[in-house]
Amino acid sequence: MAKIVINQDKVKDIQKVLDICPFGAIELNDGKLEIGAGCKMCKLCVRTGPEGVFEFVEDEVVKINKDEWKGIAVYVDHHEGDIHPVTFELIGKAKEMAKKINQPVYCVFVGNNIKDKTDILLSYGVDEVFVYDNKNLEDFRIEPYTACVEDFINKVKPTILLFGGTTLGRSLAPRLAARFKTGLTADCTILDVQENTDLDQIRPAFGGNIMAHIHTPNHRPQFATVRYKIFTAPEKVENPTGKVTLCDIDENKLNSKIDVLKVNNKNKEVGIEDAEVIIVGSRAIKKKEDMDMLYKLADLLGGQVAGTRPLVEAGWIDAKKQIGLSGRTVKPKLIITCGVSGAIQFTAGMNGSNCIISINKDEKAPIFDTAHYAIVGDIYDVIPKLIEDIELEQSNNDQVAVSVE
């Protein structure tokens, strides 16, 4: 751990020293200068203070033996054996990174009556699936599920473990990271691995104004969560060669203080994450009634309407339909943004789309740096014209179909 030390014997002017820190972190207690809790470690005092007064001291870091940790593991996110597609996306990224360091890809699968569900994981080219199948794991409860993954880590020692950024993954990953006293980077948008197996984790920070590059070179395993639709699922392999390992765990570790009394299944909705076409509204919409033209365009294209944060805050669209860092990540075949400026907070949630068409009357709008096709114009002129053209095209197609019949 790093710290700043004050050499008291070299202080000549106490007031001058106190005034150095812009955060007021240098304090005088009982005639002795100390570094207080307000220190930001900016080291301004070391650089500009009186010579010899301040000293930056960094404790020697105990280095981990990285050769003891091998393999990239993916936690299988599922509900009653129905595997969440984010798992397949993470397998694809894990395979890509594992190839660079010549290490295997594992899956850790925890639940009840799931042994027969492993074939689909192997079909994506996973080297080995570790299965914890027990009647006490029928419902997700944090203590026994954590115990199973902890047991897997202790036995297999993977250098990297990836979780989907789902409700379940975001519950499990931090608890495991705390147990192994290692780091966890949430909602990564970019992952890569160095030759020495250090994981490069990149995610937006400070409201998306910067991209933070995070790595934990002296801790293993390395944990990261990734949202759905950030990466792409790999192609299935024709002749899987991976194997399944059934794991045993002490029954006492599966005890829980949580009793599941009843499970209410929610009605499954087709969210914007699964939509193939999305029309995105923004603050350029002048009044709520004008949202109707977006819905009409979406209906014609067989898509859904989404929005930016201002529309959610205005109550014009449901929070589940928000795209961006504080909303959902999408990767449709077609996305049309209507008046969206293109702040990184928004583009980080949709820049993986197959085709991006952006409408904005400002030809210098940042969204055009992301878009595949740019339409410079007012959405109140462009969208009605698009609707008119699509309706005409569909009408012509209907007439052709009728004449053929």
Side-chain angles (χ1 to χ4, degrees):
M1 182 179 292
K3 60 183 177 181
I4 294 176
V5 176
I6 300 178
N7 297 313
Q8 306 288 334
D9 58 325
K10 296 185 178 181
V11 176
K12 296 180 180 179
D13 188 335
I14 291 179
Q15 190 57 50
K16 183 178 180 181
V17 171
L18 288 170
D19 293 339
I20 289 173
C21 182
F23 305 105
I26 303 173
E27 302 170 353
L28 183 63
N29 294 319
D30 297 328
K32 184 179 179 181
L33 290 169
E34 297 177 351
I35 302 295
C39 179
K40 309 296 183 185
M41 279 293 175
C42 66
K43 294 187 277 188
L44 180 66
C45 56
V46 178
R47 294 194 301 269
T48 64
E51 186 177 355
V53 172
F54 296 95
E55 186 178 354
F56 179 73
V57 178
E58 194 166 7
D59 296 339
E60 185 177 352
V61 178
V62 178
K63 294 185 178 180
I64 192 169
N65 184 359
K66 297 176 184 179
D67 292 335
E68 294 180 354
W69 300 82
K70 291 188 179 296
I72 300 177
V74 174
Y75 176 78
V76 180
D77 200 308
H78 71 98
H79 175 64
E80 297 179 352
D82 184 12
I83 300 173
H84 194 292
V86 72
T87 300
F88 307 129
E89 295 177 359
L90 293 180
I91 289 173
K93 175 51 70 172
K95 288 176 64 178
E96 178 188 316
M97 294 192 295
K99 188 175 181 180
K100 293 179 67 174
I101 56 176
N102 195 28
Q103 292 195 8
V105 174
Y106 305 130
C107 277
V108 54
F109 201 3
V110 183
N112 183 41
N113 291 328
I114 56 173
K115 291 191 289 288
D116 297 334
K117 307 286 186 178
T118 56
D119 287 348
I120 188 171
L121 296 170
L122 295 176
S123 71
Y124 282 97
V126 174
D127 294 295
E128 190 168 359
V129 181
F130 293 84
V131 181
Y132 290 82
D133 195 330
N134 190 291
K135 64 181 185 299
N136 292 321
L137 299 168
E138 181 174 0
D139 297 306
F140 176 76
R141 291 174 297 169
I142 191 65
E143 307 104 304
Y145 270 64
T146 302
C148 290
V149 182
E150 181 182 16
D151 181 75
F152 161 76
I153 294 171
N154 286 328
K155 290 177 179 176
V156 180
K157 290 186 175 293
T159 187
I160 297 168
L161 185 53
L162 305 178
F163 296 81
T166 62
T167 302
L168 191 151
R170 287 171 174 165
S171 301
L172 196 56
R175 182 172 288 237
L176 286 161
R179 290 196 180 187
F180 285 90
K181 296 181 179 179
T182 186
L184 165 65
T185 303
D187 290 343
C188 294
T189 56
I190 299 173
L191 290 177
D192 200 0
V193 67
Q194 300 176 21
E195 290 183 4
N196 65 355
T197 73
D198 285 354
L199 180 64
D200 290 315
Q201 305 152 85
I202 298 176
R203 57 150 297 160
F206 292 103
N209 292 311
I210 66 169
M211 299 298 286
H213 189 164
I214 302 164
H215 60 104
T216 50
N218 294 302
H219 295 81
R220 292 294 186 271
Q222 301 162 97
F223 290 103
T225 66
V226 182
R227 291 187 190 184
Y228 179 37
K229 292 288 186 179
I230 291 293
F231 300 134
T232 302
E235 297 290 333
K236 290 187 177 182
V237 299
E238 291 185 4
N239 299 304
T241 57
K243 64 178 182 177
V244 175
T245 300
L246 299 179
C247 303
D248 295 321
I249 187 171
D250 186 347
E251 291 283 339
N252 293 326
K253 292 184 177 180
L254 301 182
N255 294 331
S256 173
K257 295 180 181 179
I258 301 170
D259 292 324
V260 179
L261 304 179
K262 183 180 179 182
V263 177
N264 294 321
N265 292 320
K266 292 168 53 177
N267 293 327
K268 192 169 183 179
E269 301 177 0
V270 178
I272 58 173
E273 300 97 327
D274 299 312
E276 293 190 350
V277 177
I278 299 176
I279 311 300
V280 187
S282 67
R283 67 172 76 232
I285 303 294
K286 296 175 182 177
K287 56 183 185 294
K288 187 175 182 180
E289 291 75 17
D290 294 341
M291 291 288 294
D292 290 343
M293 64 179 178
L294 301 188
Y295 285 105
K296 187 170 184 179
L297 181 59
D299 287 341
L300 289 170
L301 296 174
Q304 293 194 40
V305 173
T308 56
R309 187 168 183 169
L311 291 191
V312 175
E313 293 174 345
W316 295 0
I317 199 165
D318 191 280
K320 294 178 181 178
K321 304 291 186 180
Q322 180 187 337
I323 294 175
L325 294 178
S326 54
R328 306 298 172 98
T329 301
V330 297
K331 195 185 291 184
K333 292 181 179 178
L334 170 65
I335 186 167
I336 302 176
T337 67
C338 306
V340 177
S341 62
I344 191 172
Q345 294 93 328
F346 171 79
T347 57
M350 50 69 74
N351 56 13
S353 305
N354 290 359
C355 180
I356 303 170
I357 299 175
S358 296
I359 308 168
N360 199 299
K361 60 184 178 181
D362 180 6
E363 62 181 20
K364 296 182 179 180
I367 191 67
F368 290 148
D369 294 332
T370 303
H372 299 110
Y373 300 95
I375 301 176
V376 179
D378 192 317
I379 60 172
Y380 284 90
D381 297 328
V382 177
I383 295 177
K385 180 62 176 173
L386 279 177
I387 292 172
E388 181 183 336
D389 290 345
I390 293 170
E391 287 179 331
L392 179 61
E393 182 69 22
Q394 291 182 350
S395 175
N396 291 337
N397 290 339
D398 290 341
Q399 290 175 7
V400 171
V402 169
S403 65
V404 169
E405 291 175 356

